Amino acid sequence: MPRLALYALAVCVLSVAAAVVSFVQGSWLGIVWILLAGVSSNMTWYYVKRGRAERAARAKSVTG
């Protein structure tokens, strides 16, 4: 997994935890944390897919 994907995944997990804590404390600020979790989740998938595509392109250029 690419390094940027791991960073984005860490941000996603931490923002979900922050949202849970925020909602438990009765704050509506958790909505912002949920939005951040969504964005970082999309970034994680993007970097994972980009890494797979780069590996496939490298493998194809080596064999072809």
Side-chain angles (χ1 to χ4, degrees), residues 4-16 40 44:
L4 287 175
L6 290 175
Y7 291 155
L9 182 62
V11 170
C12 182
V13 169
L14 290 174
S15 62
V16 168
S40 60
T44 300

Side-chain angles (χ1 to χ4, degrees), residues 5-61:
L6 290 175
Y7 291 155
L9 182 62
V11 170
C12 182
V13 169
L14 290 174
S15 62
V16 168
V20 168
V21 168
S22 182
F23 284 131
V24 166
Q25 291 179 348
S27 173
W28 286 97
L29 189 62
I31 293 172
V32 175
W33 291 113
I34 292 295
L35 293 174
L36 181 63
V39 169
S40 60
S41 172
N42 288 342
M43 288 173 60
T44 300
W45 284 116
Y46 170 77
Y47 287 125
V48 167
K49 289 179 182 179
R50 190 176 84 169
R52 286 181 186 163
E54 287 176 358
R55 267 193 310 252
R58 264 188 266 132
K60 187 174 182 179
S61 68

